[in-house]
Amino acid sequence: AVEGMTGELDLHKPFVDGVVLSCSECDGVMRRTPEVIDCWFDTGSMPYAQWHYPFENEDLFDAHFPADFIAEGVDQTRGWFYSLLAISTMISGTSSFKRCVVNDMVLDAEGKKMSKSVGNVADSFEIMATVGADALRWYMMSSSPPWLPKKFDEAGVREAASKVIDTLRNTYGFFALYANIDGFEPEAHAVERAERPLVDRWMISRLNSTVEATARAMESYDLTKAARTLQTFILEDVSNWYVRLSRPRFWKGEMDVEKRSAFSTLFEVLVTASQAMAPFAPFLSEAVHTRLTETDGDATSVHLVSYPQADEAAADRELESAMETARRIVALGRAARNSASIKVRQPLSRLLVAGVSEKQRAGVAQLEQLVLSELNVKSLEWSEAEDLSSLSAAPVFPALGPKHGKSVNAVAEAIRGLGSESAGKLAAGESVETQVDGSAIVVEPSDVTIETGARPGLAVETDQTMTVALDTEMTEELRDEGFAREFINKVQFMRKDAGFEVVDHIRVWYETSPRLTSALEKHAERISRETLADAFEEGKETGELEREWDVNGEKARIAVARVK
């Protein structure tokens, strides 16, 4: 019944006050309570009301109160956060939450408040439809802590998609491709960690170090640090380093211990990484995890397993430190190649390294072949920085002019001709003597500036403490191997362009100069092995695809065809 209401039913005040409900079990009636408390009182009462406490469920309430954390926007500071705190303080004498995780406002790329009228609002649904929800989540989590105002830039979302999401997807795709070709089974082909090659043991150690650091950041509610830690691991450690180093092991034909170790290691990395990434990229993590763990049609959801815990037994801090030093050497070596404009495919004779402690040298010694392979050099030698660089003196005319007057240009020329030894003395604060027009003059440290350059025949790069040099002198043997490596690269490119499968065997024909022909004949076996060429010979056949190439300055026509 509705008292005092005529016409259509209207449940708004004051008409709703006239609504009367009859009780089916007694003669009473129910009316609306006239007192209305602010709606924030209801939200603030949530920790108690959800358990109907204190009227029942005391054990449940005690097990869940106070909450580990509460998360909401900064605009709830005077709303939900306050009402929760005020009511729990009055009732229990304490806060109803241990931590408060606040997300601040999202602004446009220029730091302005988003507004539909201004037209600077980002359409999150469109971004998720085009770039992906995982990329959006990763960008929001990794770009800055949630409690800071965020300048939203869609370009950053796309970068997160290409750098992180696509990298993990491509790494999984690489693994799945060769695992399916070789019929890899995680249990049947497993290799004990202690029996795996050094690079695999390093990868497992880095995995566990990353899991430990990520979990520690998550426990501290530092989501941005956790996401960035995972991002560095996926990009730098897994994709740019481990997978690239291990590709030849996946490509090789025989399913030996070395190849099974690579499969076992990358499988473990992908499973654990997908579990660690699940809170940040739930969809891709689920897709990777279910595919990797599927057995007889059944798979385990990544969101139904515990967050990974670090295995201390798998951690090898000394190996990680040694690999870090090796990676620094490789980075400087690549920079030296770039400065000298020498391709990595061109072998060089020597790598010289200075500024490395005895302990670091011992660590790198076990990774020497890896370093040599990465930089494509034949040997590694330890050196001193002064042996890799030469010093030269340049005249300072304001200091020399008053001393030497009209002879200043002749003195300046003599200073430029000082050797590295004399320049070293000046750099150390000593004076040196030289001859100008038959007369001896004294050059003071204040008369010059000291410049550092590479010794002749070396390409040198330096960071804060380490100096790396490459011997750039070429022999005919080195040039021949460089020709072969460059030729292999061209054939591999043609294989891909022709649409050949990675397991397809091919035939290769070439026409080129006598100089390149000589180099190819010397390395024919290697070229055939690395390109899966059953036949490698001179000839005019066109095959399925032919191209003209410049192979280190030598013109060559190359044709390829699949072996049916």
Side-chain angles (χ1 to χ4, degrees), residues 290-305:
T290 52
R291 284 166 172 77
L292 290 172
T293 60
E294 184 176 359
T295 304
D296 297 329
D298 294 326
T300 304
S301 170
V302 73
H303 304 296
L304 295 179
V305 299

Side-chain angles (χ1 to χ4, degrees), residues 374-428:
E374 277 295 283
L375 291 176
N376 194 12
V377 293
K378 301 301 182 182
S379 65
L380 167 62
E381 298 177 15
W382 304 111
S383 183
E384 300 298 330
E386 55 268 25
D387 296 332
L388 305 181
S389 303
S390 61
L391 301 179
S392 60
V396 177
F397 282 95
L400 295 171
K403 295 181 181 179
H404 301 286
K406 295 180 180 180
S407 301
V408 67
N409 288 330
V411 173
E413 191 63 29
I415 288 174
R416 293 190 186 98
L418 291 174
S420 182
E421 183 179 352
S422 295
K425 290 180 179 180
L426 289 166

